[in-house]
Amino acid sequence: AQAGSAMAPLTTDLDNPLAFVDRLLPDERDSNLHFGDVRFWQHLEYIDTSQIYRTKSIEYRTLKLMFCEALFYLIFLGVLTGFILETRSSSVYEAWRQQLDYWGSCQRGPGVNGKRGAGGCSYESVTDAQTLMRWLRDDFTPKAFTDQDSYPPIVDSVSIFSVQNGTMYWMPRYVGDTKTSVLVGAVRIRQLRVSYSEGCSISDELSSVQTDCFAPYSDGIKSQLSWAPIWTPEHLDTHYTWFPAKITEQTEMVGAHGVYDGGGFVLDLPLNLTGALMRLDELSEWGWVDERTRAVIIEMSTLMPNVNVVVHNRMLFEFPAAGGVLARHEAFAFRLLQLSLSLMQADDTGGFMCLFSTVAMNFLLFLYVCFLLYQNGLRYFTYFWSFVDLGILIIFFILVVVNIWTVQEAAVLPNLSPEVIGDPEMFYPVGRLVPKLQLLSALLAILGLVSWLKILKYFTLLGSFHAFVRVIERCVFTLLLFSMLLFIVIFGFAAAFYVSYGRDDNVFGTLLGSFVACIVAPAGGVSLEPIFAHGDTLGPFLVLAYIMLVFLLLLNAFMAICVDTYTVTVYELHEVRSVMTSDPTAIFLWTYYNALKGVKLVGKEREEDKGNAEEQAIAVTSLPEAVASRFFDQRRRMQELLSEAHSEMEMKLREKAIATGKLDPADVPAWQKALATSTPQDGKKLLAVANFPAQRAEAIEDRTWLPMDRDLDSPSGRAMDMLCSSNYREDEEAIYELDNSQTKLNSAGLPIFRAPSLEFREPMCHTPWMTSVVGCPVVGEWLIIGPNKGVFQYLPFEVGGHRYLKKDAYQDDAYMVDLPFPPSIEGKLDGLPYFKSPSIFDRDGKLYAARDSTVRGVMLTGKWLNIGDKYVPMTIKDVPVLRKQDLASLHVKRVQLQRMLDNDPLLRDICGSDRAVDVVRQFRVDVADVDPYEAVRQLQANIAKKLKELEDHGMHLQFDELDTLRTVSQELHSALTESQKEWRAELLGILQMASLLSKALIDLTRKMEQVQLNHSDLSQIANPTK
């Protein structure tokens, strides 16, 4: 039985996006045909909650898949977040912060997390070449020798393997006062220069003042020539020689005044403090940094063993062509795990587990997306969150590819191999990996953002957030299109502010900074002081235009889109919930909880839908004819399915028994033996009239005794026979029974006539009593039978004032299969076989009417039962095998009736309700013998008697006035209900009688028309000249 009230149609199937489920066949509905369909996610509110109670229904299994997906995604999100935190942990940030403060000698502001540089950074004091060299000598270089002043090179050691005097000991090069950072490799200082008088020119008027010019840095005018002054010491020549990027193993760096490639003139700091200071003094004295220098880049890497974090530092000092110095310090920290594939044996077990779990969860997500694509096809791309899933997989795939690329590049770099990585004189080229590591961080940030946004999808399962998620799903594409217009307008304003008010000291100093400032300006936090500081009219005009176009127009249109979508979405959800009052999520959780306990909720309904105990069944005879017919049709189909299943099971058991030798193939089932011994073998063939409609009874009789091919003697007899036979209509055939129970005649049967007249009797021919014949009434009181071999014969309805032919009523009765013999050797699955015709030689395949089942059909001459287009025998060995059931005792359960109403809209229209309990109340007739009013009167008398007895014993009872009114109201309601039931029953009988009278009047009208036609034909035959 189906639980809950089914969702009523919203108007048409077009209004319900999930109406396709209702059009499925029962087998398709419970199959995996639409399992995983994204339309259930898109239109969760339209799910038929009454189907969720069935754990095999597509609705229940789809909701279960949704919750499993939600649970999986929560685990996925937890694993991904753990991986992100493990990769970019707080220790990474602290390492980055410590390196910025240490190398730049930066003083933070007040507080634990004070702003960096609030107290100033020493490198910002560099203003020219001399101050740069002084800062390098006095501030930067000593920071590279905080642990000790000298570190022995490997080339000076006697041996690095054997234990002997002079063997080099490993000495970590700590930097800082806490010994938490180790300087890995050499510190490399590189400068980039421009050529003389290239990319610029000096006017003739100034040529006497300045002969050479030096342009801003670009790749076309950079200098690659050695430029050591005369008498420069030979040990300094290397620093005046240009080396390409493949030798320096450094990458380009983007500055405010140019993009500086990885080549240049290189200085690696010596391994002792005295030598480093001396080398810097010498280079300063010989003018290593001069007017042609455009950039000096310092690059080094440190390792923090406590947290396995590497920090790559680069400090850039730009010398613009216009003069001055622009300094910048950038650092990038990353986990050492990102440079190698971690294994379980490594010390970073947590990093390995996070990496492995993240890859595994993304692989599972990939398999699930493939399953959804297979189930939905192109329909998968109609759902917004499907694109989010694909985006997550694509981003993670790129992340994996870049990560593998980074690990492979780190493996092939010679200076990163384990054999040389500890050499303090070798430069550690981690800068070549930094761009890829920065890309990995960016991809990881985007992946985390998209993954956390996708969790909004699962808030659809919560009714309170349902509308908001629908708004996001519907708005996002529209807002993306509108954002393109907003982007164009904001970019125009950004270009205007950049051109007019861009300076080094404000947010409009770059085009990108100006664009970002225009984007975040509506949220506040952007200072407009650089615009109004000039005191011109352009600034206020641009600000006013920005407010009018962006604030008042575009942003309000942006909000209008959201408000309009929200209004429409809330209205649609309200309309759906007015029909579907139950929450699919709550019903699923309740059903799933009971399923875990082994409790099936099929049939669990609301109390108002159940009704009282006496309203749980109704007699079939009390229901309208259409409802009763539908009930019997469904019952018959179910019995046929059961019989077919039993037959298949019996055949398998029989084949198995034959294969194992437990059954002889020559043996036949018990029913076949019984029929064979009970059938007369006199050669007579049971004959059925095959041209009857399947729903009408068929007359079965032995017609071998009827005389055939007899000619009529007189012209009038031939004329009457021709006239009657020409008007024989098969659609008016009926069954008539020959009944002589009133007269008790001793004759063999009713005489047969060759024409509709007593003078044309067939000699020695008659129809036996208590048999049935099939014919068509013609010419008043005659029944024409035939044709049989082309000959029509006639029987009179009345002879001597007594009526012997009585029309059989259409008796479609119910019978129970009651087999008297034991089950066959194959098992207990056998029953009464079906036949295609009333002959034991015409069995209908493997179909059975199962034991103790109920079949409904028309009994034919006491031998066979006609069930639609099939037949079953009434007796076997003269023992009845079908026991007639009283239809008045046959009841329809309320849950069965509810299922019929749910599956058939026509029945709902006929009954005027979609609730079975209402139909039971409407058509149920009280068959009790006691008058309900008399019963109420007796009840009142008994109550009054009991009250008097209580008062006689000294108990004075008083009823509140409201209770008394309620009691009277309940009694009146009960009496009115009984009256309505009786009135409905009487009205139903009247309507049925009116229907019968209408049919009889139609038949009478047709007969009158036929009489007129017959009269006209007789007149034409009697007077052919007219």
Side-chain angles (χ1 to χ4, degrees):
Q2 181 171 302
S5 59
M7 186 176 116
L10 295 178
T11 297
T12 62
D13 285 349
L14 297 178
D15 297 329
N16 186 357
L18 300 183
F20 68 94
V21 179
D22 298 327
R23 295 190 291 269
L24 296 176
L25 297 174
D27 293 340
E28 294 176 333
R29 191 183 187 96
D30 294 341
S31 67
N32 293 328
L33 178 63
H34 292 284
F35 184 61
D37 199 317
V38 295
R39 286 176 288 185
F40 288 101
W41 270 113
Q42 289 175 287
H43 310 288
L44 177 67
E45 61 275 12
Y46 289 92
I47 291 182
D48 187 358
T49 55
S50 62
Q51 296 291 339
I52 302 176
Y53 292 102
R54 294 193 309 110
T55 56
K56 294 184 179 180
S57 66
I58 184 64
E59 290 83 0
Y60 175 85
R61 291 184 293 116
T62 300
L63 280 170
K64 186 175 181 180
L65 178 65
M66 291 180 181
F67 274 88
C68 291
E69 178 186 341
L71 180 61
F72 163 78
Y73 193 77
L74 287 177
I75 300 174
F76 170 86
L77 195 59
V79 171
L80 179 62
T81 304
F83 175 70
I84 294 174
L85 294 178
E86 182 70 20
T87 304
R88 306 297 300 176
S89 61
S90 60
S91 59
V92 175
Y93 169 75
E94 290 299 332
W96 167 82
R97 172 175 168 168
Q98 188 273 339
Q99 290 294 291
L100 288 178
D101 292 344
Y102 178 75
W103 294 109
S105 298
C106 299
Q107 301 295 324
R108 292 192 173 272
V112 178
N113 295 318
K115 182 179 179 182
R116 174 179 175 268
C121 297
S122 63
Y123 70 89
E124 295 176 350
S125 62
V126 176
T127 58
D128 53 23
Q130 288 72 23
T131 56
L132 173 62
M133 299 303 292
R134 187 165 51 250
W135 177 82
L136 286 174
R137 184 185 65 246
D138 300 336
D139 190 281
F140 176 78
T141 302
K143 286 183 170 59
F145 297 90
T146 56
D147 188 32
Q148 57 187 31
D149 294 341
S150 178
Y151 296 91
I154 294 180
V155 295
D156 294 337
S157 63
V158 178
S159 173
I160 61 174
F161 300 107
S162 61
V163 180
Q164 60 185 12
N165 293 331
T167 300
M168 178 185 175
Y169 296 97
W170 179 76
M171 301 176 64
R173 191 174 178 179
Y174 288 109
V175 291
D177 55 354
T178 59
K179 290 189 176 182
T180 56
S181 299
V182 177
L183 186 62
V184 182
V187 178
R188 179 159 290 180
I189 303 174
R190 174 171 56 97
Q191 74 156 306
L192 296 99
R193 305 168 59 84
V194 294
S195 301
Y196 284 99
S197 301
E198 291 188 12
C200 63
S201 62
I202 298 177
S203 62
D204 295 337
E205 292 79 3
L206 299 177
S207 60
S208 59
V209 179
Q210 184 174 346
T211 58
D212 296 323
C213 67
F214 308 101
Y217 182 86
S218 66
D219 190 63
I221 63 173
K222 67 181 179 181
S223 175
Q224 300 180 3
L225 300 176
S226 176
W227 50 276
I230 300 176
W231 310 112
T232 301
E234 294 183 0
H235 65 275
L236 298 180
D237 289 342
T238 306
H239 307 309
Y240 291 89
T241 303
W242 181 85
F243 294 97
K246 65 180 181 180
I247 301 300
T248 64
E249 295 187 299
Q250 292 177 286
T251 58
E252 68 178 22
M253 187 173 184
V254 180
H257 298 279
V259 179
Y260 308 102
D261 58 67
F265 303 89
V266 177
L267 165 64
D268 288 344
L269 286 182
L271 295 182
N272 60 86
L273 178 60
T274 303
L277 295 177
M278 185 179 299
R279 184 63 51 89
L280 290 173
D281 287 338
E282 291 175 339
L283 290 176
S284 177
E285 182 179 353
W286 290 98
W288 190 64
V289 178
D290 58 7
E291 66 274 8
R292 292 168 56 193
T293 301
R294 288 292 174 263
V296 174
I297 302 173
I298 306 171
E299 186 171 349
M300 62 280 184
S301 300
T302 58
L303 170 65
M304 296 185 177
N306 293 336
V307 291
N308 285 334
V309 174
V310 175
V311 183
H312 176 255
N313 291 271
R314 288 198 301 183
M315 304 182 74
L316 171 65
F317 296 89
E318 293 184 274
F319 296 85
V325 177
L326 185 63
R328 188 173 87 247
H329 182 193
E330 65 179 30
F332 180 77
F334 59 93
R335 296 292 300 274
L336 201 58
L337 171 68
Q338 295 179 258
L339 295 185
S340 64
L341 293 177
S342 177
L343 299 178
M344 196 66 185
Q345 290 80 3
D347 55 351
D348 195 358
T349 306
F352 168 78
M353 294 302 298
C354 288
L355 177 62
F356 176 80
S357 301
T358 303
V359 174
M361 296 302 291
N362 276 273
F363 180 72
L364 292 177
L365 179 62
F366 170 74
L367 294 179
Y368 180 67
V369 170
C370 292
F371 165 74
L372 294 181
L373 279 169
Y374 174 77
Q375 288 292 104
N376 294 271
L378 295 178
R379 187 171 57 248
Y380 176 78
F381 299 98
T382 62
Y383 189 36
F384 166 71
W385 297 108
S386 300
F387 291 96
V388 178
D389 285 332
L390 293 176
I392 291 174
L393 293 175
I394 292 173
I395 294 173
F396 186 77
F397 176 76
I398 298 175
L399 185 74
V400 171
V401 171
V402 175
N403 203 353
I404 295 176
W405 185 18
T406 304
V407 172
Q408 288 181 341
E409 185 171 357
V412 298
L413 287 175
N415 286 10
L416 295 181
S417 61
E419 294 80 5
V420 300
I421 198 172
D423 191 343
E425 292 184 303
M426 301 288 291
F427 177 70
Y428 190 52
V430 72
R432 297 182 58 176
L433 307 177
V434 167
K436 300 179 182 63
L437 294 173
Q438 289 176 334
L439 177 59
L440 285 174
S441 298
L443 291 173
L444 200 59
I446 297 174
L447 179 63
L449 173 63
V450 176
S451 299
W452 273 97
L453 287 178
K454 191 206 167 184
I455 201 173
L456 296 177
K457 169 185 176 181
Y458 303 103
F459 280 87
T460 308
L461 299 173
L462 304 177
S464 302
F465 299 93
H466 195 168
F468 303 112
V469 179
R470 288 288 181 258
V471 171
I472 294 175
E473 294 173 355
R474 298 182 181 184
C475 275
V476 62
F477 289 112
T478 306
L479 293 181
L480 287 176
L481 294 176
F482 184 79
S483 297
M484 298 175 62
L485 301 177
L486 185 63
F487 172 83
I488 295 174
V489 174
I490 290 180
F491 187 82
F493 279 102
F497 287 126
Y498 166 70
V499 173
S500 302
Y501 305 102
R503 300 292 185 272
D504 291 341
D505 57 349
N506 60 47
V507 294
F508 306 106
T510 62
L511 184 60
L512 179 61
S514 180
F515 180 70
V516 173
C518 291
I519 290 177
V520 300
V526 177
S527 175
L528 301 180
E529 182 180 356
I531 299 176
F532 295 106
H534 292 267
D536 56 1
T537 57
L538 178 61
F541 173 76
L542 290 176
V543 173
L544 178 63
Y546 180 82
I547 292 175
M548 293 180 61
L549 288 177
V550 177
F551 275 86
L552 301 180
L553 180 60
L554 294 179
L555 291 183
N556 281 302
F558 198 89
M559 295 300 299
I561 294 174
C562 298
V563 172
D564 179 68
T565 306
Y566 176 78
T567 304
V568 174
T569 302
V570 172
Y571 172 77
E572 291 179 354
L573 290 177
H574 175 74
E575 289 297 311
V576 174
R577 289 170 180 171
S578 64
V579 178
M580 174 70 78
T581 58
S582 302
D583 184 11
T585 301
I587 294 177
F588 167 77
L589 292 176
W590 177 245
T591 306
Y592 183 73
Y593 171 73
N594 284 273
L596 291 178
K597 299 191 301 181
V599 178
K600 299 294 185 180
L601 291 185
V602 176
K604 300 294 183 181
E605 301 169 289
R606 296 177 298 178
E607 292 299 328
E608 56 267 26
D609 293 333
K610 291 181 180 179
N612 300 324
E614 63 274 9
E615 296 172 339
Q616 301 306 305
I618 183 174
V620 177
T621 54
S622 298
L623 291 172
E625 183 178 357
V627 180
S629 299
R630 188 62 53 87
F631 169 75
F632 287 119
D633 290 342
Q634 290 187 357
R635 188 170 184 172
R636 178 177 55 83
R637 287 196 299 269
M638 294 300 103
Q639 290 174 348
E640 289 178 356
L641 291 176
L642 179 63
S643 299
E644 185 174 357
H646 282 184
S647 301
E648 293 179 358
M649 295 175 67
E650 182 182 3
M651 291 300 299
K652 291 181 180 179
L653 291 175
R654 180 179 178 85
E655 293 173 358
K656 183 178 180 181
I658 294 175
T660 56
K662 296 181 180 180
L663 180 66
D664 187 354
D667 293 344
V668 295
W671 62 266
Q672 207 169 13
K673 294 179 180 179
L675 283 177
T677 56
S678 63
T679 304
Q681 303 296 328
D682 54 1
K684 293 185 178 181
K685 182 179 179 181
L686 295 173
L687 188 63
V689 181
N691 59 354
F692 271 96
Q695 69 272 17
R696 296 178 57 189
E698 299 183 3
I700 311 303
E701 55 178 324
D702 186 356
R703 291 187 177 178
T704 55
W705 49 268
L706 290 177
M708 304 297 180
D709 301 328
R710 283 181 173 267
D711 295 329
L712 300 179
D713 297 332
S714 63
S716 60
R718 287 194 301 270
M720 294 178 64
D721 179 65
M722 181 180 63
L723 175 62
C724 294
S725 60
S726 63
N727 288 280
Y728 187 88
R729 300 178 62 180
E730 293 182 354
D731 59 343
E732 294 186 1
E733 289 179 327
I735 303 173
Y736 293 85
E737 183 180 4
L738 279 74
D739 184 10
N740 68 336
S741 58
Q742 300 296 329
T743 59
K744 302 297 183 180
L745 294 178
N746 294 325
S747 60
L750 190 64
I752 297 177
F753 298 83
R754 290 171 291 171
S757 177
L758 296 177
E759 57 183 299
F760 297 105
R761 178 180 178 181
E762 289 279 6
M764 304 300 295
C765 290
H766 58 270
T767 302
W769 300 115
M770 305 308 295
T771 59
S772 297
V773 294
V774 179
C776 177
V778 293
V779 195
E781 293 297 324
W782 289 88
L783 181 69
I784 182 172
I785 306 172
N788 193 352
K789 296 183 180 181
V791 177
F792 290 89
Q793 295 174 327
Y794 302 87
L795 292 175
F797 278 94
E798 294 185 1
V799 176
H802 295 282
R803 191 174 185 87
Y804 294 101
L805 285 178
K806 296 181 180 179
K807 186 176 181 180
D808 285 347
Y810 176 56
Q811 297 295 335
D812 188 5
D813 296 325
Y815 295 83
M816 174 176 287
V817 179
D818 186 11
L819 300 179
F821 47 83
S824 61
I825 191 174
E826 297 88 339
K828 297 185 179 181
L829 301 175
D830 60 340
L832 195 60
Y834 284 103
F835 296 85
K836 296 180 181 179
S837 64
S839 172
I840 63 170
F841 305 104
D842 195 15
R843 186 186 173 192
D844 188 5
K846 303 176 182 178
L847 295 181
Y848 288 91
R851 287 176 177 268
D852 301 326
S853 64
T854 302
V855 294
R856 184 177 177 85
V858 178
M859 185 178 63
L860 306 177
T861 65
K863 299 179 180 178
W864 293 85
L865 183 69
N866 175 221
I867 307 173
D869 58 346
K870 297 179 177 60
Y871 302 85
V872 292
M874 298 290 295
T875 60
I876 295 179
K877 286 187 177 181
D878 296 330
V879 177
V881 293
L882 292 178
R883 178 163 47 86
K884 186 175 181 180
Q885 288 186 329
D886 185 9
L887 288 181
S889 62
L890 185 61
H891 287 73
V892 181
K893 299 294 185 181
R894 180 189 58 81
V895 290
Q896 295 175 320
L897 184 58
Q898 182 67 59
R899 184 61 179 269
M900 294 168 59
L901 293 174
D902 292 339
N903 295 336
D904 195 338
L906 181 60
L907 291 185
R908 293 198 295 267
D909 294 338
I910 293 174
C911 298
S913 177
D914 59 350
R915 297 200 312 166
V917 66
D918 294 335
V919 178
V920 173
R921 292 168 180 170
Q922 179 179 0
F923 295 102
R924 185 169 63 91
V925 179
D926 193 356
V927 296
D929 297 333
V930 181
D931 187 358
Y933 297 101
E934 180 64 23
V936 171
R937 187 188 65 79
Q938 294 178 359
L939 179 61
Q940 291 175 342
N942 291 333
I943 292 175
K945 180 180 179 182
K946 296 295 183 182
L947 290 176
K948 187 176 184 306
E949 292 178 356
L950 292 175
E951 291 178 352
D952 292 341
H953 287 79
M955 297 181 63
H956 301 283
L957 301 178
Q958 295 182 355
F959 291 92
D960 186 73
E961 183 178 353
L962 181 61
D963 294 336
T964 304
L965 182 60
R966 185 183 296 109
T967 303
V968 174
S969 175
Q970 291 175 352
E971 294 297 336
L972 289 175
H973 180 268
S974 300
L976 181 60
T977 302
E978 294 297 331
S979 300
Q980 289 177 343
K981 291 178 181 178
E982 294 180 2
W983 177 79
R984 287 170 180 165
E986 296 295 335
L987 180 60
L988 178 62
I990 294 174
L991 292 176
Q992 291 176 346
M993 292 301 299
S995 177
L996 293 176
L997 289 175
S998 176
K999 292 180 180 179
L1001 289 174
I1002 294 173
D1003 292 339
L1004 179 61
T1005 303
R1006 290 179 180 176
K1007 297 301 181 182
M1008 294 296 295
E1009 293 177 357
Q1010 189 65 41
V1011 169
Q1012 291 179 346
L1013 293 174
N1014 293 340
H1015 180 73
S1016 299
D1017 293 339
L1018 288 174
S1019 300
Q1020 186 68 27
I1021 293 173
N1023 300 298
T1025 58
K1026 293 183 180 181

